[in-house]
Amino acid sequence: DVYKRQSLPSRRTLNSKSITIYFMKINITQAVILAAGMGVRLKELNRGIPKGFISLADNIPIIEHSIEALLACGISDIIIVTGFMDEHYENLRSRYPQIKTVRNEKFSETGTMYSLWCARKLLNTDFILLESDLIFETRAIRELLESPVKNLLLITGKTEAGDEVYVAAEGDRVKQISKDKTVLGSIVGEFIGVSRLSYDFYLKLIRTAEESFESDLKVSYDMDCFVTVADKIPLGFLKIENLLWAEIDDALQLKRAQKIWKEIKSQSA
């Protein structure tokens, strides 16, 4: 159960010319937030609002904290894929000129990959991908952006938070993503639902997804499509062992998130 530690090349291993090329060529300003889901497991706790509009002690929706983290890291074009109770996100868009929205009209019958597919006409460059039901330290975004690797999953050590998504790798390349540890090889950590993707990887992801949609609209972007594309285009990972973060899918995770949010706020105070 002990995750193997695997690190990607740091910028200190690059010569000055490489560093200059990296910063000249890669300037990520787009992000996609997947927010179409109905939050069925939280139905009695979130009072009928989308999961992204749950607030933790400060009456500010958790998605707004994610937006502020993205803006603080230089992301100026934020695409939110909506669905369930999309009017909440439209109201949010009216307050943030950096936000665009696109609706997954089939949100009740499709999976996360279909929502990501819905953003295809608004994406035109490398981007940060995240889910709407997360809280995390701002450094999660910053460290993804600072990495020299174009395609990355953000992972952490063991959380025991419930409903974990495990990542297995060979060397520095992701090979498997699953909630079932027994089917995985060398587990390197837990995926937190935040990624950095190149536009080339996304285009391949879209083609892969469209083939899958012919038989299954509920495919996931991570456990299904990421793994398929990673066989052709390298997908790495960035592990931040002690990152403060939480996902909110059910009552137990909500309770855990409330505790972690206090820790995040105390660190930034």
Side-chain angles (χ1 to χ4, degrees), residues 140-229:
I141 304 298
R142 185 174 62 249
E143 292 192 28
L144 274 179
L145 293 173
E146 289 176 350
S147 172
V149 181
K150 293 179 69 175
N151 301 299
L152 283 172
L153 302 185
L154 183 57
I155 67 173
T156 64
K158 183 182 294 187
T159 63
E160 297 183 349
D163 204 35
E164 298 93 339
V165 175
Y166 303 100
V167 176
E170 292 179 7
D172 60 4
R173 292 186 62 165
V174 172
K175 290 296 182 182
Q176 299 166 291
I177 306 171
S178 177
K179 293 184 179 183
D180 183 359
K181 288 196 294 186
T182 65
V183 303
L184 298 178
S186 178
I187 296 175
V188 290
E190 297 177 12
F191 180 43
I192 83 163
V194 181
S195 314
R196 168 183 164 170
L197 300 178
S198 67
Y199 189 58
D200 287 344
F201 192 96
Y202 179 67
L203 292 178
K204 193 71 174 177
L205 203 62
I206 290 300
R207 289 193 289 270
T208 299
E210 289 175 343
E211 293 173 3
S212 299
F213 291 160
E214 294 177 8
S215 58
D216 185 5
L217 290 175
K218 289 187 175 291
V219 290
S220 68
Y221 74 86
D222 49 2
M223 291 179 283
D224 296 316
C225 296
F226 270 7
V227 172
T228 301
V229 175

Side-chain angles (χ1 to χ4, degrees), residues 16-32:
S16 60
K17 184 176 179 181
S18 297
I19 292 172
T20 302
I21 290 171
Y22 161 56
F23 280 110
M24 285 175 60
K25 286 191 174 182
I26 302 175
N27 182 26
I28 296 177
T29 58
Q30 279 197 311
V32 176

Side-chain angles (χ1 to χ4, degrees), residues 241-260:
E241 189 75 46
N242 60 345
L243 182 73
L244 293 174
W245 75 281
E247 178 186 24
I248 305 173
D249 265 335
D250 58 32
L252 287 177
Q253 288 186 344
L254 176 58
K255 185 175 181 179
R256 177 176 180 270
Q258 289 168 333
K259 178 182 177 182
I260 289 176

Side-chain angles (χ1 to χ4, degrees), residues 37-55:
M38 294 185 288
V40 174
R41 285 180 285 176
L42 276 169
K43 192 172 183 180
E44 295 181 1
L45 295 170
N46 62 358
R47 304 179 306 282
I49 60 173
K51 285 195 294 183
F53 280 82
I54 293 171
S55 59

Side-chain angles (χ1 to χ4, degrees), residues 84-131:
F84 175 66
M85 299 192 76
D86 62 311
E87 63 271 16
H88 289 270
Y89 296 104
E90 295 305 322
N91 291 336
L92 188 64
R93 182 172 63 88
S94 70
R95 295 193 289 111
Y96 286 92
Q98 302 92 342
I99 292 177
K100 299 182 180 75
T101 58
V102 59
R103 192 170 194 266
N104 176 356
E105 300 291 347
K106 298 181 178 181
F107 68 88
S108 64
E109 56 189 281
T110 56
T112 54
M113 187 61 232
Y114 192 88
S115 287
L116 184 53
W117 177 82
C118 288
R120 68 198 183 282
K121 293 182 180 179
L122 296 175
L123 279 166
N124 52 30
T125 186
D126 298 5
F127 64 100
I128 297 294
L129 172 64
L130 62 155
E131 300 171 19

